[in-house]
Each structure stands twice: as structure tokens, then as C-alpha cells.
Amino acid sequence: MNDQSQLIPAVAVKGIATGLLMMAGFTMIWTGIAFSGLHGMVQAWGLIVFPFLAVSFIIKGIKLFGIAKLHPAIESEADKAEGKKMGKWFGIIFGAEGLLIFIAVNIVTNIGHPELTIPAIALVVGLHFFPLAKVFKRTLDYYLATWSTIIAVLAIVFSLNHTLTQPAVAAFTGGGLAVATSCYGLFMMYKGNRLDSY
């Protein structure tokens, strides 16, 4: 580990590790949704890349938790204040996401389109990344938020105009969002690789 990495506080390392574990979980959820649409089809084998990525995120996350103790525990007052602010906004956005998912699911159900449940959830997930991009000051978030939102909107359109069957809509939505969460995970792995020497 180099001297520069020693300047990174342990809390930042743990933050990346936690993010990796979250992306592993979300990647598997969206992969499961995609698999439900492709169950019994040969194309389902194409999804196997996502579990491998999820496992690699978990392994890297655990390693980062292990090396966090090698980083200083002390943060500057400015870093503490910034971290507290980010944590507050993350909590607000995450809470709002849960509420909006509940509302979106109830709306599509009550208007007689329960088949839009998965695309509606994906739409809320995609949209919630836009404010997170501002909170965490990451350009990548804007790209992946846009990607996820477009996937969700297309899934809604494909479902309503019967371009795709409902299993195909699930596969399209799940696969598209699994790509997004995997990209987040890969980005976090890249950040994590800069913190250790193995």
C-alpha cells in the first residue's frame, strides 16, 4: 500500500466496500428478474456473467473491509461535515425512492396495468440516480441514470404496445438494469483497486 492511500480515511474505504456489496445484491435482483423472463430459453445462459460479477464485487468488498484498518480512522472536520451531508441526502433520496416505488406500483395496478410493475420500479430506480449523481459528484451516475431511465421507459412502451411479451419485458428490464448496477460495481472495483496492492 502506498503513502497516498494511507491518506484516505478508513470510512471512505468502507464506503466503497459497502457500495460493492449493495451492487452485488442489486445486480442479482435484476438478473433474477431477467432470468424469470428467459427461463427455459437458451438466451438465459447469457445472464451468467452477472452472477460472476456479483461474486467478484462481494470478494472485493470483503477485502476492502479487511484493509480499511490500515487506513487512518481520523478525518478532517471538512471531510466529516461533507460525509454527514452526503449521508443525510443519501438517506432522504433512498427513502423517497422506496415511497415512490410504492406509489408507482399502486398507480399501475389501479389503472389496470399490473404488468407495468417491474418497468415502473425500474423507472423510479433510474430517476433516483440523478439526484445521487449530484450528491456524490460522479459523472458516471448521470450516464447510468440516463441508461436505466431509458430502459424503463422503453419497457413501458414495449409492454403497452405489445412489441414484447411480458416475459420478454421482464428480461429486457432486468437485463438492462443489471448492466447498470454491474457498471457501478465495476467502477467501485476500480476505485477499490487503487486502495490496495493486490
Side-chain angles (χ1 to χ4, degrees):
M1 186 169 301
N2 56 40
D3 292 338
Q4 185 177 5
S5 68
Q6 289 283 359
L7 300 176
I8 300 171
V11 66
V13 180
K14 290 177 181 177
I16 295 173
T18 301
L20 279 165
L21 297 183
M22 289 178 65
M23 288 308 109
F26 290 136
T27 296
M28 288 309 301
I29 289 170
W30 288 112
T31 301
I33 291 170
F35 182 77
S36 72
L38 293 175
H39 185 64
M41 301 174 65
V42 68
Q43 291 92 332
W45 283 102
L47 299 173
I48 200 166
V49 65
F50 296 118
F52 278 114
L53 286 173
V55 169
S56 69
F57 298 160
I58 291 170
I59 292 171
K60 189 63 177 183
I62 291 170
K63 285 184 177 180
L64 287 175
F65 276 119
I67 69 165
K69 62 181 178 291
L70 302 176
H71 289 255
I74 300 173
E75 298 177 89
S76 70
E77 289 304 316
D79 286 341
K80 285 182 182 178
E82 183 68 14
K84 189 174 180 180
K85 180 181 176 182
M86 285 183 176
K88 181 186 82 170
W89 279 108
F90 176 80
I92 291 171
I93 293 167
F94 199 74
E97 178 192 21
L99 177 61
L100 290 173
I101 285 175
F102 175 78
I103 293 171
V105 169
N106 276 278
I107 288 174
V108 297
T109 300
N110 289 320
I111 64 174
H113 287 285
E115 73 279 4
L116 296 180
T117 297
I118 292 173
I121 292 171
L123 180 60
V124 174
V125 170
L127 291 174
H128 103 287
F129 283 122
F130 284 107
L132 283 182
K134 184 174 179 61
V135 169
F136 292 112
K137 301 179 178 72
R138 288 192 306 234
T139 303
L140 175 70
D141 292 45
Y142 287 110
Y143 292 121
L144 295 179
T146 301
W147 164 267
S148 300
T149 302
I150 289 172
I151 290 292
V153 170
L154 287 176
I156 291 170
V157 172
F158 292 158
S159 182
L160 289 175
N161 65 16
H162 305 293
T163 301
L164 297 177
T165 63
Q166 288 311 305
V169 169
F172 176 80
T173 310
L177 270 291
V179 167
T181 55
S182 293
C183 286
Y184 273 112
L186 289 169
F187 173 76
M188 291 174 187
M189 282 190 72
Y190 166 74
K191 298 285 281 186
N193 283 336
R194 298 173 66 184
L195 302 179
D196 62 45
S197 57
Y198 46 82

